[in-house]
Amino acid sequence: MGALAIKNVTKSFGDTHILKGINIDIEAGEFLILVGPSGCGKSTLMNIIAGLESPTSGEVCIADRIVNEVAPKDRDIAMVFQSYALYPTMNVRQNIAFGMETRGVPKAEQNEVIARVAKMLQIDHLLDRKPSALSGGQRQRVAMGRALARNPKLFLFDEPLSNLDAKLRVEMRVEIKQLHQRLKTTIVYVTHDQIEAMTLGDKIAVMKDGVIQQFGSPEDIYERPANLFVAGFIGSPSMNFLPCHLVEQNGQVGVTLQGVEAPKFIALQDRAGLKERVGQKVILGVRPEQWDVENTPDALVCKVKITEPTGPDTMIYSEVNGVEMIARVHPRAASGPGTTLPLVLDVKKAVLFDPETELRIA
Amino acid sequence: MAETRFWRAALYAALVFAALYYLLPLYVMLTTSVKSIEEIRAGNLLSLPAGITFDAWSKAWSTACTGVSCNGLSGYFWNSVQMVIPAVAISTMLGAINGYVLSKWRFRGSEVVFALILFGVFMPFQVLLLPMAQTLGLFGLANTTAGLVFVHVVCGTASTTLFFRNYYVGIPDELIKAARLDGAGFWRIFWRIILPMSTPIIMVTLIWQFTQIWNDFLFGVVFASGDAQPITVGLNNLANTSTSVKEYNVDMAAALIAALPTIVVYVLAGKYFVRGLTAGAVKG
Ligand SMILES: Nc1ncnc2c1ncn2[C@@H]1O[C@H](COP(=O)(O)OP(=O)(O)OP(=O)(O)O)[C@@H](O)[C@H]1O
Ligand SMILES: [Mg+2]
């Protein structure tokens, strides 16, 4: 059953077009991530799903029902806002109860729900406090509690963790994941943190300038990015983009890479549609972890410019084909600045982009 | 060290001087109002009273002549009370609702409406006199307290709208969105969410409106006559009624009676005034 379907939704404020034809379709129980740079229209799309703003054109369906004309309160959704939006003059209990009170839920049932939610989120001891007397993490929990009290078909989370410090963020991320596994409610979750996107999502929609650049599973997005933007946006450090020419050598199509020695030919096996492009410029996309230090004749010898030890891995900054290139290698294999390292590429995982259209070609 | 102490002393000296300078008229009024007329004529302006007598106060309140009638200020005082309470309450309420709409329920053209309302804040009220006189006549409100209330509500709503609108702009929109998802509508959000957050700005508005309306002379003298005149007009009449001897103590007592309510309001609600003017700078 389709939990949420967004069909050709556009949104314009006067002459500025914020959303330009959004299409998304997810199943019940799925965790959808909307990710993209600031100002790309994520919150606007959330508000449209919630019914707080109406789309300029297009349809929003929740649980297979077109809800364009349905009021926010009747859409059976709950939302957690970036600023938490707790009612400052009410205590935690009243904050959680407000929605139920408005819907006319009997008092006894309200108390039951509050008790259940407070227990689930471990905020029992905070029920009589005002939001101003809570820490950031506690406010975040209360905001979640308010959403949970509703027991909705669809949760909307608009950057719920972005106001928390790094450690709390990781904790809450895990809790949200557990919560989703327990409740199995459909969730739409906005973030511009690509780690949150990768770790939480069943499906990820990468947005830019009001257009969905790619919609797919985290694995799809990471391994087979649709274009240069998605490839560069997801992953940290970013994918390396090495400008190359497609050449043919000994009947094999490939590219040449140059470190500090003579250019090296790298064959790209079995990829459709490359033969026709021989002679053209392409961009080879290689993630930092797709390099290995290996002393073989095939290795590309690179000069180490900077090293960045992160603990489990060390980032090696060097130069390939005239652009900066980062390799993530084992700390023991790394060597200091000024030395050279033989690097071997995991060719199967490398991707190719057309520099004109910026789309992935293979 | 010695130098900073010197400057600190100089600073306090300047502050004390300024405070005394502004308090001196109040001191003169207070002491004069409790002196007997003989002492005033004999003594000097700044001396402390030899004996305290409240005769001047009771005369100013109940028997001093204001024009032809000699019933003191009491009638005028109650007129002002009857005028100021509904006028302040209604204009504050309207300002709150207007400000709520103009900040949280914007509609096409709401910025234009706000600009027009702002215009009302800066308009000199003299231009209103003639059209307002006609309007009051048309409604049958001429020369009544209800008429004065109407005038003050119309003229005060511009400022109160400005106050509330600017305060509410600082309240995050997400709060409204959350309440809408919780199923609350326009009025429920206003009563349950917005109004409880408004205490500081309500206090500011109350003080401002109370002072404006209580102290107004122009509308009082133009739009009210006889029974409905407010205290400012009464005070003016009292001071201008010629008696054989000028009774300074009665005049001073009358002026203090006229000024007392605004002072009381400021003392009761004043701490919110400064707080309200700076609120919104920090999110809570
Ligand atoms: N009411 C409005 N009128 C005009 N423009 C608006 C309005 N609301 C949002 N915008 C614009 O729409 C664009 C998208 O805003 P939106 O809040 O959806 O971005 P976002 O992707 O959520 O960004 P962030 O990650 O910073 O939260 C922004 O450029 C913003 O200025
Ligand atoms: Mg946003």
Side-chain angles (χ1 to χ4, degrees):
Chain A
M1 193 183 79
L4 172 70
I6 296 166
K7 295 174 188 158
N8 264 320
V9 162
T10 67
K11 178 71 183 177
S12 311
F13 293 106
D15 281 339
T16 40
H17 306 294
I18 307 296
L19 298 179
K20 301 160 186 164
I22 302 288
N23 285 291
I24 286 175
D25 204 330
I26 53 171
E27 301 296 313
E30 279 189 318
F31 200 131
L32 168 69
I33 300 277
L34 291 177
V35 64
S38 198
C40 69
K42 305 181 296 289
S43 296
T44 308
L45 183 56
M46 285 295 247
N47 285 336
I48 288 175
I49 298 172
L52 296 165
E53 292 197 51
S54 46
T56 306
S57 68
E59 263 176 18
V60 178
C61 306
I62 296 174
D64 294 325
R65 172 174 73 132
I66 298 176
V67 292
N68 282 39
E69 304 300 324
V70 179
K73 67 181 165 76
D74 300 323
R75 292 190 179 195
D76 206 0
I77 53 175
M79 188 156 172
V80 176
F81 294 89
Q82 180 169 359
S83 67
Y84 312 143
L86 301 178
Y87 310 127
T89 56
M90 300 183 195
N91 65 24
V92 170
R93 186 191 309 278
Q94 292 164 325
N95 260 284
I96 297 175
F98 184 72
M100 291 187 278
E101 209 179 284
T102 308
R103 289 194 304 278
V105 175
K107 195 85 195 163
E109 197 182 326
Q110 285 183 26
N111 290 335
E112 246 168 64
V113 172
I114 292 171
R116 174 175 60 82
V117 167
K119 186 148 168 279
M120 193 187 316
L121 295 170
Q122 294 153 21
I123 49 174
D124 324 51
H125 58 298
L126 304 173
L127 284 177
D128 293 315
R129 289 209 207 158
K130 290 267 174 69
S132 56
L134 299 177
S135 72
Q138 292 170 332
R139 286 180 206 187
Q140 212 281 331
R141 277 167 206 270
V142 175
M144 301 253 296
R146 198 167 60 177
L148 288 177
R150 181 121 204 216
N151 198 10
K153 272 210 197 67
L154 180 63
F155 277 119
L156 304 176
F157 289 179
D158 193 354
E159 304 200 30
L161 305 185
S162 63
N163 284 333
L164 302 180
D165 60 55
K167 186 163 174 289
L168 206 52
R169 243 172 124 134
V170 176
E171 282 172 29
M172 288 307 293
R173 197 172 73 205
V174 175
E175 278 191 39
I176 289 178
K177 188 153 191 165
Q178 286 170 344
L179 201 71
H180 177 244
Q181 281 165 0
R182 179 143 37 125
L183 298 175
K184 305 210 162 45
T185 311
T186 319
I187 296 180
V188 183
Y189 186 107
V190 167
T191 178
H192 51 235
D193 180 320
Q194 38 100 12
I195 310 251
E196 270 171 41
M198 291 297 295
T199 52
L200 290 174
D202 293 320
K203 292 269 176 64
I204 300 181
V206 183
M207 281 177 76
K208 183 190 162 206
D209 296 339
V211 177
I212 292 197
Q213 305 289 318
Q214 188 171 2
F215 175 56
S217 68
E219 193 199 337
D220 268 343
I221 304 261
Y222 194 76
E223 311 254 316
R224 293 172 288 281
N227 57 36
L228 280 178
F229 174 79
V230 175
F233 191 79
I234 300 285
S236 172
S238 285
M239 183 184 273
N240 298 294
F241 297 129
L242 309 174
C244 308
H245 274 98
L246 265 190
V247 290
E248 194 167 351
Q249 257 184 32
N250 311 332
Q252 283 194 311
V253 181
V255 293
T256 50
L257 294 181
Q258 184 172 25
V260 282
E261 292 176 342
K264 223 152 228 133
F265 177 77
I266 311 251
L268 301 161
Q269 304 117 323
D270 328 323
R271 298 198 189 207
L274 285 189
K275 270 242 153 52
E276 301 83 273
R277 287 182 184 254
V278 169
Q280 289 178 11
K281 282 187 188 159
V282 292
I283 290 176
L284 181 71
V286 185
R287 294 205 180 272
E289 69 271 19
Q290 287 164 10
W291 293 101
D292 267 319
V293 181
E294 229 174 288
N295 214 342
T296 66
D298 288 344
L300 182 68
V301 180
C302 298
K303 187 166 186 118
V304 179
K305 294 205 289 189
I306 304 173
T307 60
E308 254 183 13
T310 63
D313 303 302
T314 295
M315 305 297 163
I316 303 284
Y317 287 66
S318 67
E319 197 175 288
V320 170
N321 283 15
V323 298
E324 186 175 77
M325 204 260 326
I326 304 177
R328 181 201 295 256
V329 302
H330 195 275
R332 246 176 305 166
S335 61
T339 61
T340 55
L341 266 187
L343 294 174
V344 175
L345 171 64
D346 185 352
V347 183
K348 284 198 296 298
K349 288 194 173 153
V351 285
L352 280 179
F353 298 96
D354 182 326
E356 297 296 319
T357 62
E358 303 197 345
L359 298 176
R360 184 168 57 89
I361 45 183
Chain B
M1 193 64 207
E3 202 178 337
T4 53
R5 201 172 298 164
F6 169 77
W7 283 114
R8 175 142 311 181
L11 179 68
Y12 277 107
L15 288 176
V16 167
F17 176 76
L20 285 178
Y21 184 80
Y22 285 104
L23 282 173
L24 197 63
L26 184 65
Y27 167 79
V28 171
M29 286 176 78
L30 263 175
T31 50
T32 307
S33 73
V34 294
K35 287 174 182 172
S36 66
I37 195 73
E38 291 76 22
E39 192 190 345
I40 293 171
R41 238 177 279 144
N44 89 38
L45 201 61
L46 294 177
S47 65
L48 279 167
I52 291 180
T53 160
F54 287 98
D55 293 350
W57 283 77
S58 69
K59 182 164 185 194
W61 180 252
S62 53
T63 60
C65 294
T66 52
V68 285
S69 68
C70 290
N71 297 320
L73 286 181
S74 54
Y76 296 96
F77 188 92
W78 294 122
N79 283 345
S80 272
V81 170
Q82 282 170 29
M83 165 188 79
V84 81
I85 289 174
V88 168
I90 296 171
S91 60
T92 302
M93 204 62 223
L94 283 178
I97 295 168
N98 285 347
Y100 172 54
V101 171
L102 291 175
S103 58
K104 295 287 169 254
W105 296 83
R106 300 216 178 127
F107 49 91
R108 199 178 287 274
S110 62
E111 291 301 307
V112 178
V113 172
F114 181 58
L116 289 176
I117 290 178
L118 261 189
F119 198 63
V121 176
F122 299 110
M123 187 170 51
F125 288 142
Q126 286 82 342
V127 307
L128 273 179
L129 294 181
L130 283 174
M132 188 56 86
Q134 288 212 318
T135 310
L136 289 180
L138 210 66
F139 290 166
L141 292 175
N143 295 331
T144 63
T145 298
L148 269 187
V149 169
F150 178 77
V151 176
H152 283 300
V153 166
V154 168
C155 294
T157 302
S159 329
T160 57
T161 300
L162 175 69
F163 291 167
F164 279 101
R165 187 260 184 199
N166 287 356
Y167 184 80
Y168 290 158
V169 161
I171 295 179
D173 287 343
E174 289 192 344
L175 223 47
I176 310 292
K177 289 181 181 167
R180 282 174 64 197
L181 282 174
D182 269 341
F186 181 90
W187 288 110
R188 196 172 160 80
I189 295 175
F190 182 65
W191 289 114
R192 293 291 308 278
I193 314 272
I194 296 293
L195 216 49
M197 295 174 70
S198 308
T199 316
I201 197 67
I202 289 176
M203 290 301 169
V204 169
T205 311
L206 286 183
I207 294 179
W208 178 265
Q209 280 300 93
F210 188 92
T211 311
Q212 292 287 311
I213 296 174
W214 185 271
N215 288 342
D216 164 72
F217 180 72
L218 180 68
F219 293 147
V221 80
V222 173
F223 296 128
S225 67
D227 294 345
Q229 286 177 332
I231 187 132
T232 45
V233 177
L235 180 64
N236 174 67
N237 294 355
L238 182 142
N240 286 340
T241 303
S242 45
T243 45
S244 49
V245 280
K246 192 73 184 152
E247 290 177 300
Y248 289 109
N249 50 356
V250 177
D251 287 357
M252 293 303 166
L256 283 172
I257 289 172
L260 216 51
T262 50
I263 295 175
V264 169
V265 166
Y266 187 79
V267 168
L268 289 183
K271 67 171 180 181
Y272 288 101
F273 196 78
V274 179
R275 214 189 281 168
L277 290 181
T278 54
V282 281
K283 269 190 200 156

